[in-house]
Amino acid sequence: MTEQEYIQARRNEPWREELRKTVKAKERGERARVHMPELDPNYRSHSLKDEVNLGLSVEQAVFEAGRCLDCANPTCMEGCPVGIHIPSFIKNIERGNFLEAAKVLKETSALPAVCGRVCPQEKQCESKCIYIQKMKKEPVAIGYLERFAADYERESGKMSLPELAPANNIKIAVIGSGPAGLSFAGDMAKKGYDVIVFEALHEIGGVLKYGIPEFRLPNEIVDVEINVLRKMGVKFINNCIVGKTISHEDLHEDGFKGIFAASGAGLPNFMNIPGENLIGVMSSNEFLTRVNLMDASNPESDTPVQKGKKVAIIGAGNTAMDAVRTAKRLGAERAMVVYRRSEEEMPARIEEVKHAKEEGIEFYTLHNPIRYEGDENGRVQRMQLQKMELGEPDASGRRKPVPIEGATEWFDVDEVIVSVGVSPNPLIPSTFKGLEITKWGTIVVDQETMRSALPDVYAGGDIVRGGATVILAMGDGRKAAAAMDKALKGE
Ligand SMILES: Cc1cc2nc3c(=O)[nH]c(=O)nc-3n(C[C@H](O)[C@H](O)[C@H](O)COP(=O)(O)OP(=O)(O)OC[C@H]3O[C@@H](n4cnc5c(N)ncnc54)[C@H](O)[C@@H]3O)c2cc1C
């Protein structure tokens, strides 16, 4: 696609309306933040594959980039765990140097098109923008611009590769191909190492593939960024469970000089309340993995998923939003989020909550399930919710939900998806003898280097943090790569 064609394509509906608003705002001399063009909620709430956010038009991106004040001390960068030079990529967009902007992103991030879509920017870079810090205005839309530059480069067909150091033929193993593993692999490949990523599943990408649905993050986008790593020399071996298919000792015997454990936290938590083992009650991990990776929305597939009509999702993180919006897309007439605190405490990205509401998802905040009951076939039929109120802040700093005595309600449901957190995958912690493990099953590392108690094993992402975010996992990968490189060079 030529630049002209790209610009033309983005002048069609629904970009036109947003563009009109942007031009008007500019004429009035306003500097309001642009809005992301989106698919119509009525249409999108029936489509599993169509991406909800459509990306900024060229005009919107250049306008938004012009809002960035190019601060002498860019505080936004403090909020980016992978250290993207934010003003530099944004000012390239303002000047129309879109490919150069993408290059800046790729200096420090292996997954810019992914992060531009799923990072909680409101808690990271954008929360540190001078507009919000000092002027009480809306921050520059750093995430939207990141996505714009990465998408522009991909759609132009002129994908650049980061500079690579000469090959040093030192073999490095990565366990897990989620954002932590991919980010680490990219940095080590840049430094000249021979990197092999071992992945237990048949698909590469970790949660980016098995968890986050395509209406939020299309697989094609993830694959393009993984292919850049392939072109940089990173090798991927799927269907290989480290700790089972091959052991720590095998990796040593095969000559691997360093190992990065990035095996994530894919073990779902349950609430251990009566009725949780009824048919139709499942974890969000199971539900999303089956739909995303096993074609389970197709009744002809080997393991089709039940398509509930009255579906309750327990929890209010990103995973819960993905599950409830997927259930809606599979045909739920009533899809509801049940959350024990108030909307303010919801851990999900603000945009996901907004999108869910627009799509007709019902929210029962300050409610908590206490039991499920089934029909004569053992299938879930109804749930009892306990009404809650907020008390004093707990250890997480959020106000603690407290049951209101005697205040309960029953709701009819035919499917319940439990999304109340995850625990680390236990295989690496249990089979790599000598690792130090916390009581939550996470691997203990030195915070500066990500090095574990085993000198050749570094770890990062959810296996260390126990369920965090894409960008924090990527930041860990970068930190570990820098430290492992130094250690291997004897510095
Ligand atoms: C549904 C869902 C939605 C989310 N949405 C967001 C969001 O919008 N924004 C955000 O920032 N974060 C989001 N998160 C959280 C984020 O995705 C995770 O924090 C992040 O993926 C962690 O990265 P990771 O690389 O540590 O682990 P993962 O992404 O979990 O990857 C670990 C990989 O290791 C593999 N593996 C495990 N054990 C082995 C083994 N023994 N051998 C070989 N391979 C192994 C697994 O199969 C997996 O592919 C979401 C999470 C979920 C589940």
Side-chain angles (χ1 to χ4, degrees):
M1 192 187 266
T2 65
E3 187 167 331
Q4 230 20 60
E5 283 167 344
Y6 186 85
I7 293 172
Q8 205 48 49
R10 299 218 156 193
R11 287 211 168 115
N12 296 336
E13 292 291 356
W15 282 279
R16 199 178 295 143
E17 179 57 18
E18 292 302 338
L19 178 61
R20 203 182 53 77
K21 282 188 210 154
T22 306
V23 170
K24 286 260 182 264
K26 211 170 167 183
E27 281 169 5
R28 288 194 298 265
E30 287 172 11
R31 305 299 277 164
R33 176 180 158 117
V34 290
H35 288 276
M36 172 61 80
E38 298 165 352
L39 277 185
D40 179 78
N42 288 327
Y43 168 78
R44 71 185 196 227
S45 57
H46 297 96
S47 166
L48 263 184
K49 300 266 176 191
D50 287 311
E51 200 181 353
V52 171
N53 280 349
L54 296 169
L56 300 183
S57 67
V58 172
E59 288 85 352
Q60 278 185 302
V62 171
F63 173 82
E64 186 63 23
R67 290 183 67 227
C68 170
L69 298 178
D70 201 5
C71 305
N73 173 23
T75 42
C76 53
M77 287 179 64
E78 292 165 16
C80 177
V82 298
I84 289 177
H85 202 294
I86 295 171
S88 165
F89 100 79
I90 291 185
K91 288 298 137 184
N92 270 306
I93 294 180
E94 190 183 5
R95 288 190 289 269
N97 298 336
F98 307 140
L99 292 176
E100 202 50 43
K103 237 186 222 172
V104 174
L105 290 171
K106 286 205 284 197
E107 279 166 16
T108 52
S109 170
L111 305 168
V114 168
C115 293
R117 285 169 166 79
V118 303
C119 251
Q121 290 98 4
E122 72 263 18
K123 292 184 189 150
Q124 301 281 168
C125 52
E126 292 182 11
S127 74
K128 307 272 178 187
C129 173
I130 190 159
Y131 274 123
I132 201 164
Q133 291 273 325
K134 297 260 164 76
M135 307 181 204
K136 303 286 167 249
K137 286 185 181 169
E138 283 196 291
V140 174
I142 301 169
Y144 292 172
L145 291 173
E146 179 180 23
R147 170 187 167 148
F148 171 83
D151 284 2
Y152 181 88
E153 190 198 38
R154 188 185 61 257
E155 290 175 31
S156 74
K158 296 178 196 147
M159 297 283 287
S160 64
L161 287 187
E163 242 174 72
L164 305 179
N168 60 20
N169 298 319
I170 299 177
K171 280 172 77 177
I172 302 295
V174 182
I175 307 170
S177 67
L182 296 176
S183 165
F184 172 87
D187 273 14
M188 290 304 266
K190 280 186 211 164
K191 295 175 198 297
Y193 290 92
D194 180 9
V195 185
I196 302 185
V197 180
F198 297 92
E199 169 55 55
L201 296 174
H202 59 287
E203 282 277 352
I204 303 298
V207 169
L208 307 179
K209 281 276 182 67
Y210 80 72
I212 304 180
E214 291 214 70
F215 58 81
R216 211 149 70 76
L217 178 62
N219 287 346
E220 187 202 338
I221 305 284
V222 183
D223 284 336
V224 168
E225 303 209 313
I226 290 170
N227 279 337
V228 169
L229 293 173
R230 281 203 173 93
K231 286 185 189 147
M232 289 163 63
V234 177
K235 297 174 205 94
F236 293 92
I237 298 181
N238 53 4
N239 296 317
C240 179
I241 308 173
V242 179
K244 247 187 188 153
T245 324
I246 52 172
S247 64
H248 188 192
E249 293 71 33
D250 293 334
L251 291 174
H252 278 165
E253 277 169 29
D254 285 348
F256 287 95
K257 298 288 180 240
I259 299 169
F260 181 57
S263 47
L267 206 62
N269 294 343
F270 282 91
M271 293 174 66
N272 296 321
I273 57 175
E276 241 177 352
N277 56 353
L278 287 165
I279 301 167
V281 182
M282 69 183 98
S283 72
S284 51
N285 269 41
E286 178 189 340
F287 178 68
L288 289 169
T289 306
R290 283 171 63 186
V291 174
N292 293 342
L293 279 195
M294 298 162 77
D295 192 26
S297 62
N298 172 6
E300 305 296 315
S301 69
D302 288 343
T303 54
V305 79
Q306 179 202 333
K307 296 185 182 178
K309 292 290 169 209
K310 285 174 270 177
V311 185
I313 278 69
I314 316 302
N318 287 317
T319 313
M321 295 306 139
D322 285 343
V324 76
R325 294 170 73 199
T326 299
K328 178 83 185 171
R329 282 160 171 76
L330 294 188
E333 285 152 14
R334 252 191 115 175
M336 50 186 144
V337 166
V338 178
Y339 181 50
R340 62 193 181 134
R341 300 180 203 249
S342 75
E343 180 163 344
E344 212 173 300
E345 289 83 26
M346 284 186 187
R349 295 175 74 227
I350 291 172
E351 189 173 58
E352 309 315 327
V353 177
K354 169 185 167 283
H355 283 162
K357 283 184 179 169
E358 288 167 355
E359 289 164 14
I361 306 300
E362 297 169 43
F363 281 80
Y364 287 87
T365 51
L366 292 170
H367 281 79
N368 203 28
I370 47 176
R371 71 170 54 239
Y372 306 109
E373 286 183 356
D375 62 15
E376 62 283 3
N377 300 316
R379 180 169 289 281
V380 67
Q381 202 174 30
R382 56 189 207 138
M383 65 178 177
Q384 190 179 22
L385 299 186
Q386 165 72 59
K387 288 191 186 169
M388 315 291 282
E389 60 189 351
L390 292 179
E392 294 300 310
D394 63 13
S396 74
R398 296 176 302 173
R399 289 179 66 193
K400 196 176 163 164
V402 183
I404 302 172
E405 219 185 297
T408 64
E409 280 180 84
W410 284 95
F411 282 81
D412 287 346
V413 285
D414 59 4
E415 190 169 26
V416 175
I417 299 172
V418 183
S419 189
V420 293
V422 283
S423 298
N425 291 329
L427 198 57
I428 301 301
S430 63
T431 58
F432 275 46
K433 299 293 170 225
L435 285 176
E436 193 185 336
I437 309 297
T438 66
K439 64 177 177 186
W440 298 282
T442 51
I443 298 177
V444 177
V445 293
D446 172 87
Q447 290 303 311
E448 293 301 313
T449 61
M450 310 310 288
R451 195 176 203 166
S452 74
L454 290 171
D456 65 328
V457 180
Y458 292 61
D462 284 1
I463 187 67
V464 167
R465 296 173 180 273
T469 62
V470 169
I471 197 68
L472 289 172
M474 289 177 65
D476 289 351
R478 294 212 70 208
K479 237 196 243 178
M484 190 187 283
D485 177 48
K486 272 192 181 167
L488 288 171
K489 285 180 177 152
E491 286 172 13

